[in-house]
Amino acid sequence: MSAVPELVTLHVWRIPRTAVPRALARMATHPTRLRRLPGVRFAKLLGTGTGTGFGPGDADPTRWAALMVWDSPAAAAGFDASPVGRSWARLASAAVRVELRPLTSRGEWSGRRPFGEPSGGPVTGPVLALTRARLRARRAVTFWRAIPPVAAALHEAPGLLARFGVGEAPLGWQGTVSLWRDPTDLVTFAYRHPEHRAAITRTPSEGWYAEELFARFAVGDVVGDRTVLGWAAAGDPETARGHA
């Protein structure tokens, strides 16, 4: 059984359009460098999407992300001073870091279980849901056609704080990040909303995924500019400011 990490961090950067070629160059060289940082168990450098359709045309080239699984908070604290962290900071016009504690996780990512096998437990306050899948090429078009109703329903879901798409490549590597006010709001959408329930029901019969992972996390600190996440409460100065 894989040990459950004490800390997972999600780093998200907003960059100017003039910096997109440099971001693409980093996507080619930085994934290996991320995995080699001291204290890193698992790391993925990710492109993002707006979260409205999760298809090929949904990409947002001005926002990039890294998901990091750490041996300890002390190891995580060194990321900003690392060559990779400094490189993205120089490129970014705004950035945010979300600190996460795994609650549940099932499935695999690149043949691994990066968050171990957490046993859940009571949670109060915000939670983050992460989905990630590698699509079967012959099923991709069917998948993209099925997603718009789910994406529209997610946008209107009570308790949603932020949501966007993530992916390791423009095509075939789909994922979503959504942040919720509390676990009840997330569960209500995931299991009671008709569009989302219909998509869950279709998944086994359609065979969309060659590999899939679903994980939930308790949200700890959110450090930086929350508007980079598309925070729904961005108009509220107290919530948009983030923590110093």
Side-chain angles (χ1 to χ4, degrees), residues 7-184:
L7 181 64
V8 175
T9 57
L10 176 66
H11 305 261
V12 188
W13 300 279
R14 178 68 71 186
I15 67 170
R17 288 195 174 274
T18 55
V20 170
R22 284 173 283 167
L24 292 171
R26 285 162 171 75
M27 285 293 288
T29 60
H30 281 189
T32 300
R33 296 174 67 184
L34 278 179
R35 293 191 294 270
R36 291 177 177 172
L37 290 176
V40 170
R41 294 190 193 180
F42 182 88
K44 289 290 182 179
L45 192 58
L46 304 164
T48 77
T50 63
T52 57
F54 304 116
D58 189 51
D60 181 354
T62 69
R63 183 172 57 188
W64 302 83
L67 184 73
M68 314 283 290
V69 181
W70 299 93
D71 283 336
S72 68
F79 176 74
D80 288 344
S82 71
V84 176
R86 293 199 307 268
S87 178
W88 282 95
R90 288 194 300 270
L91 206 61
S93 57
V96 66
R97 180 181 77 248
V98 185
E99 298 180 356
L100 305 166
R101 176 174 59 85
L103 296 173
T104 61
S105 180
R106 63 181 179 86
E108 296 186 345
W109 194 338
S110 299
R112 296 180 58 186
R113 296 182 180 271
F115 313 117
E117 298 180 12
S119 57
V123 177
T124 58
V127 292
L128 181 145
L130 169 70
T131 72
R132 180 268 174 188
R134 178 162 51 89
L135 295 180
R136 300 184 191 276
R138 66 183 183 277
R139 299 292 186 183
V141 173
T142 305
F143 172 83
W144 288 325
R145 287 174 178 169
I147 286 303
V150 180
L154 175 61
H155 180 69
E156 301 295 333
L160 180 71
L161 298 175
R163 58 88 174 90
F164 53 93
V166 293
E168 297 148 84
L171 296 175
W173 305 77
Q174 309 294 141
T176 63
V177 169
S178 58
L179 287 96
W180 300 82
R181 181 175 51 199
D182 58 50
T184 301

Side-chain angles (χ1 to χ4, degrees), residues 150-242:
V150 180
L154 175 61
H155 180 69
E156 301 295 333
L160 180 71
L161 298 175
R163 58 88 174 90
F164 53 93
V166 293
E168 297 148 84
L171 296 175
W173 305 77
Q174 309 294 141
T176 63
V177 169
S178 58
L179 287 96
W180 300 82
R181 181 175 51 199
D182 58 50
T184 301
D185 291 320
L186 169 57
V187 170
T188 297
F189 176 78
Y191 297 108
R192 299 177 189 174
H193 200 286
E195 282 82 3
H196 194 261
R197 283 183 59 86
I200 293 174
T201 301
R202 289 184 63 185
T203 297
S205 60
E206 295 284 353
W208 283 322
Y209 309 137
E211 183 182 59
E212 58 184 312
L213 178 141
F214 302 90
R216 296 179 186 176
F217 305 84
V219 176
D221 213 355
V222 180
V223 182
D225 185 350
R226 298 186 184 196
T227 63
V228 178
L229 302 170
W231 200 266
D236 179 347
E238 290 301 315
T239 57
R241 186 181 301 120

